[in-house]
Amino acid sequence: MTGILAQVRSYDRSVQLLLANQFTINLGFYMLMPYLAAHLAGSLGLAAWLVGLILGVRNFSQQGMFLVGGTLADRLGYKPMIIAGLLLRVLGFATLGLVDSVPALIAASAATGLAGALFNPATRAYLALDAGERRVEAFALFNVFYQAGILLGPLVGMVLTGIGFRVTCLTAAAVFAVLGLVQVRALPARRAAADSRRESVAAQWRGILANRPFLLFSLAMIGSYVLSFQVYLALPLEVRRIGGDGPGATAAVAVLFAVSGLSTILGQTRVTAWCKARTEPGRALVWGLLVMGAAFLPLLPAAAVPVPEAGGAGRWLLAAVPPALSALLLAVGTMIAYPFEMDTIVRLSGDRLVATHYGLYNTVCGIGITLGNLGTGAALDAARAAGVSALPWAVLLLLGTACAATLYALDRTGRL
């Protein structure tokens, strides 16, 4: 941690503030969101389809508005969009804790998603601008702070939700309110180059959609997000399949998230330094995707082992160890790829309309995650029906390999 803090201090104050922002944003978000579904279904007694609708609206409003948020950031400045997103999330989180009518809950959920669409592209474009030639290392630190917030947020939320879900919502809203005030006072104003603001929005979007290398890269990287998301979908389901629904399985799922978060916090900057010293960005991306695909190899032999009887240590180990190894390899693959991925987007944009490029990239990957999760869910159901539990892991392994091969081809032809 001493080395990480020393690296943080080596950057300008604006970069330091953006890193702290991302930690606090994830802290506030993840202290609330993991417990929202239980509140809606339990405390408010809503039907499962309504819970799904309210949660889906948040995701749709965020993914669908990333391009708009990025465009606004390039035209109006990065700081205003960051502040607007933070304040909108204050409104959304406070409303989630204070209302119980479905229309108000849907509106609050939409506001929460739109908030992310406003500040996410702006934050990344701002970081890329102020980090300059050191943006690969800056994005490595960004991922450390990002994961630290994800790791700590649910723990804080668990304590607060034990008091009351309204307390959790209002505390999360207060976190974002304080963060917004800090931005107003301390974050310097930054914006895109003046020449990029003279074009109409339609012309800017046409130019980005004509950027073939950027679009191909965006499509190729969808697989990395589908694979990494399995820490939240397929791996916990595999733990439950083997370990059941008792406290042992709950502990095994907690191990997944701990392994993923702690390995990134402790290893990200070292992995990035090692990769930067030994390989080119395009090759690092290829290796990252290969490692992410290989993350599902430990689950293939485990799928062939009969599930031991309940109550024994062997069953818990089978439920916990292979998924934990997969979570670790997914984290390593992400550590390899992520900083170079963020840097590649800036390079493919030609340092113009960077926030808009990030916005479109996030939208493309968000749609890919949705479709990928549907496909993964279908594979899990098919595997269960056919008694072939290795099927989903083979599909995910092939997905990682195919995306790595696509990136390799793009790199070899000079498109990265």
Side-chain angles (χ1 to χ4, degrees), residues 35-46 96-97 99 105 165-166 169:
Y35 308 102
L36 179 58
H39 167 70
L40 296 174
S43 303
L44 301 185
L46 299 182
L96 285 174
V99 305
L105 289 168
F165 185 74
R166 177 171 293 182
C169 289

Side-chain angles (χ1 to χ4, degrees), residues 316-365:
W316 190 87
L317 289 173
L318 185 63
V321 175
L325 287 174
S326 293
L328 176 61
L329 288 171
L330 283 173
V332 171
T334 303
M335 282 187 263
I336 294 170
Y338 179 80
F340 298 99
E341 170 195 358
M342 294 293 104
D343 177 65
T344 299
I345 294 168
V346 178
R347 288 190 288 107
L348 292 177
S349 75
D351 286 318
R352 290 188 73 255
L353 303 173
V354 175
T356 309
H357 280 81
Y358 276 128
L360 179 59
Y361 182 83
N362 286 332
T363 297
V364 169
C365 290

Side-chain angles (χ1 to χ4, degrees), residues 107-123:
S109 185
T112 299
L114 177 58
L118 293 180
F119 60 62
N120 275 339
T123 298

Side-chain angles (χ1 to χ4, degrees), residues 360-383:
L360 179 59
Y361 182 83
N362 286 332
T363 297
V364 169
C365 290
I367 294 170
I369 289 172
T370 301
L371 297 176
N373 285 342
L374 289 173
T376 302
L380 289 167
D381 288 340

